[in-house]
Amino acid sequence: MTAIDLAGRVLAAEAARYTAMGWMRGTSGNLSVVSGRDPLRLVVTVSGRDKGELSEQDVVLIDEHGAAVPDQPHPERVPSAEAGLHGRIAAVSGAGAVVHVHALAPVLAAERWPAGVVLREQEMLKGFGRAAHDDVVTIPVVPNSQDMRVLGEAFAAGFRPDTPALIVARHGVYVWGDDLHQARHRLECLEWLLRFAVESGFDARERRAG
Amino acid sequence: MTAIDLAGRVLAAEAARYTAMGWMRGTSGNLSVVSGRDPLRLVVTVSGRDKGELSEQDVVLIDEHGAAVPDQPHPERVPSAEAGLHGRIAAVSGAGAVVHVHALAPVLAAERWPAGVVLREQEMLKGFGRAAHDDVVTIPVVPNSQDMRVLGEAFAAGFRPDTPALIVARHGVYVWGDDLHQARHRLECLEWLLRFAVESGFDARERRAG
Amino acid sequence: MTAIDLAGRVLAAEAARYTAMGWMRGTSGNLSVVSGRDPLRLVVTVSGRDKGELSEQDVVLIDEHGAAVPDQPHPERVPSAEAGLHGRIAAVSGAGAVVHVHALAPVLAAERWPAGVVLREQEMLKGFGRAAHDDVVTIPVVPNSQDMRVLGEAFAAGFRPDTPALIVARHGVYVWGDDLHQARHRLECLEWLLRFAVESGFDARERRAG
Amino acid sequence: MTAIDLAGRVLAAEAARYTAMGWMRGTSGNLSVVSGRDPLRLVVTVSGRDKGELSEQDVVLIDEHGAAVPDQPHPERVPSAEAGLHGRIAAVSGAGAVVHVHALAPVLAAERWPAGVVLREQEMLKGFGRAAHDDVVTIPVVPNSQDMRVLGEAFAAGFRPDTPALIVARHGVYVWGDDLHQARHRLECLEWLLRFAVESGFDARERRAG
């Protein structure tokens, strides 16, 4: 089994998990892990497959621009169209894994707070890598686009090393971490925080201004 | 194993999947695949069975009007009452598979927007076969009826080849595609979009008018 | 295996199913099947067990008043406190199975419409044993009580043979049918209808008055 | 297998159950059982592990202050930071098991009723160890803190032997009982009651004042 196949097996299991949570409907979403840094290489899920039914074969090795590199067992496999944003996020943030899912709560929150979703005074922020107190976390929201360079620029313009997530309005959320496990934990905690924000019905800014 | 049994096995697995999502309560909903075009023939789930407990036997071969055809191993099996609408949809749209489920979000959306549910500027529209930008998608809503000819006429009157779904008010949703997999992916994405519409609490028309 | 054990096995499987749906939290809820008519006998789940972990042993044979009958392998087992209402429902309605669960939607609906929840013009009413059109279904709501005779009288006072359900306010719902399968299907469809009523936010009376 | 390993196995299974319900996102939450009374000793889940993937090894023996005791097979394992509150709750209440999860409904309820969540006239209160009628249950709410002594004092100040739960605002809920089974049942029923309170949209005080 090649290293790519091994990464594919792990990505397939993670995708099945998110699918069961309703966060990867149809063929939506994509997951990646960094396999090399110089030059940057990521193993990313291929385009167009049911994310609950991936096999270890359903991945492809890409460069930082999201293009399949020629030197791999199956260069003909087609990476997700969003692979370019995975590459940009990994390059800018130094993350080892990037997950992009279509959970509902992030998109609902972005619809309500299109300038960014403010979170503070929440224990669950620790699971996102921030402090539970005396810390203001703003999850950036960028407009949707089909051009990964446009999304990449919008991401980079708002990037802060301490905020490992990006909501793309009317689309979904990206979360990253040192590895898939950390990215998962951050995603699960962020989704909870955004669901809380949406269900409690008001913004942390309104509530805790001062 | 006959071709009908084989289709039955696939339909049973798909029905179990939808049941687990809460979209086929009790014996509600029905699924079909086209098995021939000239004349049109569909394999459709039988009436009255628990949709989480179907076996490969719980299907029947029908014509475009939803009637069981005589030339099959078990012509005595009773197709779903809604088989006639499956036949009509397959005949008009050219679809290879039609799924009808009682998910809650489509019926809630139809209650709110009885003249049709307008969706636009959503990445998930790509999973429904449309564009994420500069495209206005109206999911048709028709009044419920027990007469499949009435429903069939209402469907045909509003049919557009680029919109593979129909909501029957106070009833459920039909989605179709080239095969069961494509129909599933379209359904999963549409359900997400309609849940977003209902939970975000306003109409795409109001929000993005212009 | 005795007939009681056999009934116990089926009731345990059904209880595990409802537990997975979140409808039998902790040790709440109880299920019964009629095992004899003259005199009336029911096999009912015992009191105080986790409803997701029942074994075939966790049932007891009761009379129409909910008392354990002496002539059974384990007369020392304690029936659910609510067994008396199971007996009364089976006696009055002629049902072969009664299910009582603590689903949230029925209790939310009863809180909103304490005089009874009106349902009409819904396809899902067919799964409850009624008509989808030109039929007004009122699910009776009775106040909660710890006295099964009080609940039984309230049930009997509002009983209609065509309405196989009863909501006990701030408590849960009873649904019955010829057998456990029919009771399950009716419950699943009723829960959907009540969730629709609660989420759509208005009463069928207001909406379709005329 | 040591007694600690055995407790670890049971705690891991319970944590996996809560994870599947979405109540232990990422590495959040922790569970404990009392293993000795004089002096007080608890087996508690370790810090920082995915709560859906615990093994029997992922526990540590602590004293009433939450510190790992030296006399155990693996004193180097790090207890959860919140172990001190587990110890305090077990010491004050006499409970045999304490569960702490990040379910959403308790935190939503605390946001709405920060002075305590009042519950009354609910059958499900019996599953929480209280009466369904003529009883007013107030679930205490305390502000979040990273100092377990502060949380412990706030808990002790509001402790009533008949109310086996504590909500930590913008954080999560603690529930306890004689054993893990009883704690689970109380938690499941309390979560239902708090979800009802949040979804029905008004306080028991407003509704049933008298």
Side-chain angles (χ1 to χ4, degrees):
Chain A
M1 174 174 277
T2 70
I4 294 176
D5 284 348
L6 196 59
R9 184 175 289 187
V10 175
L11 290 169
E14 205 70 8
R17 181 185 177 102
Y18 293 136
T19 299
M21 298 177 89
W23 295 353
M24 297 188 94
R25 291 290 179 87
T27 67
S28 70
N30 25 73
L31 312 179
S32 66
V33 287
V34 170
S35 62
R37 278 285 166 194
D38 191 11
L40 185 66
R41 292 288 179 268
L42 298 92
V43 181
V44 67
T45 49
V46 295
S47 179
R49 296 285 168 79
D50 189 303
K51 292 304 184 294
E53 298 173 349
L54 294 182
S55 81
E56 67 194 32
Q57 310 291 320
D58 294 321
V59 291
V60 59
L61 189 67
I62 60 165
D63 64 20
E64 70 173 295
H65 306 292
V69 299
D71 183 24
Q72 61 178 310
H74 293 279
E76 76 286 0
R77 291 181 191 156
V78 180
S80 161
E82 289 149 332
L85 188 50
H86 283 253
R88 186 76 184 258
I89 288 171
V92 169
S93 71
V98 181
V99 299
H100 167 50
V101 300
H102 291 198
L104 193 59
V107 187
L108 287 168
E111 195 73 6
R112 181 148 189 168
W113 300 292
V117 185
V118 177
L119 305 169
R120 69 169 104 177
E121 296 299 317
Q122 286 278 8
E123 183 71 15
M124 280 295 236
L125 283 169
K126 291 162 67 178
F128 183 65
R130 293 290 288 268
H133 307 285
D134 304 319
D135 190 12
V136 179
V137 179
T138 302
I139 309 298
V141 175
V142 299
N144 195 22
S145 171
Q146 300 309 304
D147 185 334
M148 289 306 118
R149 289 167 304 180
V150 171
L151 282 179
E153 288 303 306
F155 152 70
F159 174 71
R160 284 175 50 147
D162 64 359
T163 309
L166 174 76
I167 305 178
V168 183
R170 302 181 81 81
H171 182 154
V173 68
Y174 288 79
V175 178
W176 50 95
D178 291 342
D179 54 30
L180 274 175
H181 227 222
Q182 190 181 63
R184 181 212 288 175
H185 294 166
R186 289 174 171 178
L187 169 60
E188 288 185 358
C189 292
L190 179 61
E191 198 273 346
W192 188 100
L193 288 162
L194 296 171
R195 177 54 70 185
F196 175 87
V198 168
E199 290 203 21
S200 66
F202 28 50
D203 190 343
R205 274 169 297 201
E206 299 160 19
R207 192 162 37 193
R208 306 247 161 190
Chain B
M1 175 173 276
T2 70
I4 295 177
D5 283 349
L6 195 59
R9 183 174 290 188
V10 176
L11 290 168
E14 204 69 8
R17 181 186 177 101
Y18 293 136
T19 299
M21 299 178 87
W23 295 353
M24 298 188 93
R25 292 290 179 87
T27 67
S28 70
N30 25 73
L31 311 179
S32 66
V33 287
V34 170
S35 62
R37 278 287 168 193
D38 191 12
L40 184 66
R41 292 288 180 269
L42 298 93
V43 181
V44 66
T45 49
V46 295
S47 180
R49 295 286 168 80
D50 188 303
K51 291 305 184 295
E53 298 173 348
L54 294 182
S55 80
E56 67 193 34
Q57 310 291 319
D58 294 320
V59 291
V60 58
L61 190 67
I62 60 165
D63 64 20
E64 69 173 294
H65 306 292
V69 299
D71 183 23
Q72 61 179 307
H74 292 279
E76 77 286 359
R77 292 182 191 157
V78 179
S80 161
E82 289 149 332
L85 187 51
H86 283 253
R88 186 75 184 260
I89 288 171
V92 169
S93 70
V98 181
V99 298
H100 167 51
V101 299
H102 291 198
L104 193 60
V107 187
L108 287 168
E111 196 72 6
R112 182 148 190 168
W113 300 291
V117 185
V118 176
L119 304 170
R120 69 167 106 176
E121 296 299 316
Q122 286 278 9
E123 183 72 14
M124 280 296 236
L125 283 169
K126 290 162 68 179
F128 183 65
R130 293 291 286 270
H133 307 284
D134 304 319
D135 190 11
V136 178
V137 178
T138 302
I139 309 298
V141 175
V142 300
N144 194 22
S145 171
Q146 301 309 305
D147 185 334
M148 290 306 120
R149 288 166 306 179
V150 170
L151 282 180
E153 289 303 307
F155 152 70
F159 174 71
R160 284 175 50 147
D162 64 0
T163 309
L166 175 76
I167 304 178
V168 183
R170 304 181 79 81
H171 182 155
V173 66
Y174 287 79
V175 178
W176 50 94
D178 291 342
D179 54 30
L180 274 175
H181 226 223
Q182 189 181 64
R184 181 212 288 174
H185 293 167
R186 289 174 171 176
L187 169 60
E188 288 185 357
C189 292
L190 179 62
E191 198 272 346
W192 189 100
L193 289 162
L194 295 171
R195 177 54 68 184
F196 176 87
V198 167
E199 290 201 22
S200 66
F202 28 50
D203 191 342
R205 274 169 299 200
E206 299 158 18
R207 194 161 36 193
R208 308 249 159 187
Chain C
M1 173 173 276
T2 70
I4 294 177
D5 284 348
L6 196 59
R9 183 174 291 190
V10 175
L11 290 168
E14 205 69 8
R17 180 187 179 101
Y18 293 137
T19 299
M21 298 177 87
W23 296 352
M24 298 188 93
R25 291 289 180 88
T27 67
S28 69
N30 26 72
L31 312 178
S32 65
V33 288
V34 170
S35 62
R37 278 287 167 194
D38 191 11
L40 184 66
R41 292 288 180 268
L42 299 92
V43 182
V44 68
T45 49
V46 295
S47 180
R49 297 286 169 81
D50 188 303
K51 291 305 184 293
E53 298 173 348
L54 294 181
S55 80
E56 67 195 33
Q57 310 291 319
D58 294 320
V59 291
V60 58
L61 191 66
I62 60 164
D63 65 20
E64 68 173 298
H65 306 292
V69 300
D71 183 23
Q72 60 179 310
H74 293 279
E76 76 287 0
R77 292 182 191 156
V78 180
S80 161
E82 290 149 330
L85 187 50
H86 283 254
R88 186 74 182 262
I89 288 170
V92 169
S93 71
V98 181
V99 298
H100 167 51
V101 299
H102 290 199
L104 192 60
V107 188
L108 286 168
E111 196 72 6
R112 182 148 191 168
W113 301 290
V117 185
V118 177
L119 305 169
R120 68 167 107 176
E121 296 298 318
Q122 286 278 10
E123 183 72 14
M124 280 295 237
L125 283 169
K126 291 162 68 178
F128 183 65
R130 294 290 287 268
H133 307 284
D134 305 318
D135 190 11
V136 179
V137 178
T138 302
I139 308 298
V141 174
V142 300
N144 194 22
S145 171
Q146 301 307 306
D147 185 333
M148 290 306 120
R149 288 166 304 179
V150 171
L151 281 180
E153 288 304 305
F155 152 71
F159 174 72
R160 283 175 49 147
D162 64 0
T163 308
L166 174 76
I167 304 177
V168 183
R170 303 180 80 81
H171 181 153
V173 66
Y174 288 80
V175 178
W176 49 93
D178 292 341
D179 54 31
L180 274 175
H181 225 222
Q182 189 180 66
R184 179 212 289 176
H185 293 166
R186 288 173 171 177
L187 169 60
E188 288 186 357
C189 291
L190 180 62
E191 198 272 347
W192 188 100
L193 288 161
L194 296 171
R195 178 54 68 182
F196 176 87
V198 168
E199 291 202 21
S200 66
F202 28 51
D203 191 342
R205 273 169 298 201
E206 299 159 20
R207 194 163 36 198
R208 308 247 161 190
Chain D
M1 173 173 278
T2 69
I4 294 176
D5 284 349
L6 196 58
R9 184 175 289 189
V10 175
L11 290 169
E14 205 70 6
R17 181 188 178 100
Y18 293 137
T19 299
M21 298 177 89
W23 296 352
M24 298 188 94
R25 292 290 179 89
T27 66
S28 70
N30 25 73
L31 311 179
S32 66
V33 288
V34 170
S35 62
R37 278 287 167 194
D38 191 10
L40 185 65
R41 292 287 179 268
L42 299 92
V43 182
V44 67
T45 48
V46 295
S47 180
R49 296 287 169 80
D50 188 303
K51 292 304 184 295
E53 299 173 348
L54 294 181
S55 80
E56 69 194 32
Q57 310 291 320
D58 294 321
V59 291
V60 58
L61 190 66
I62 60 165
D63 65 19
E64 70 173 297
H65 305 294
V69 300
D71 183 23
Q72 61 179 311
H74 293 278
E76 76 286 0
R77 291 182 191 157
V78 180
S80 162
E82 289 149 331
L85 187 51
H86 283 255
R88 185 76 183 261
I89 289 171
V92 170
S93 72
V98 181
V99 298
H100 166 50
V101 299
H102 291 197
L104 192 59
V107 188
L108 287 168
E111 195 72 7
R112 182 150 192 164
W113 300 291
V117 185
V118 178
L119 304 169
R120 69 169 104 178
E121 296 298 317
Q122 286 278 10
E123 183 71 15
M124 280 295 237
L125 283 169
K126 291 162 69 179
F128 183 66
R130 294 289 287 268
H133 307 283
D134 304 319
D135 190 12
V136 178
V137 178
T138 302
I139 309 298
V141 174
V142 300
N144 194 21
S145 171
Q146 300 308 305
D147 185 333
M148 289 308 119
R149 289 165 304 179
V150 171
L151 282 180
E153 288 304 306
F155 153 71
F159 174 71
R160 284 175 50 147
D162 64 359
T163 309
L166 174 75
I167 305 178
V168 183
R170 304 180 79 81
H171 182 153
V173 67
Y174 287 80
V175 178
W176 51 93
D178 292 342
D179 54 30
L180 274 175
H181 226 222
Q182 190 181 64
R184 180 211 290 175
H185 293 166
R186 288 174 172 177
L187 169 59
E188 288 185 357
C189 292
L190 179 61
E191 198 272 347
W192 189 100
L193 288 162
L194 296 171
R195 178 55 67 184
F196 176 87
V198 168
E199 291 202 20
S200 66
F202 29 51
D203 190 344
R205 274 170 297 200
E206 299 159 19
R207 195 162 37 197
R208 308 249 160 190

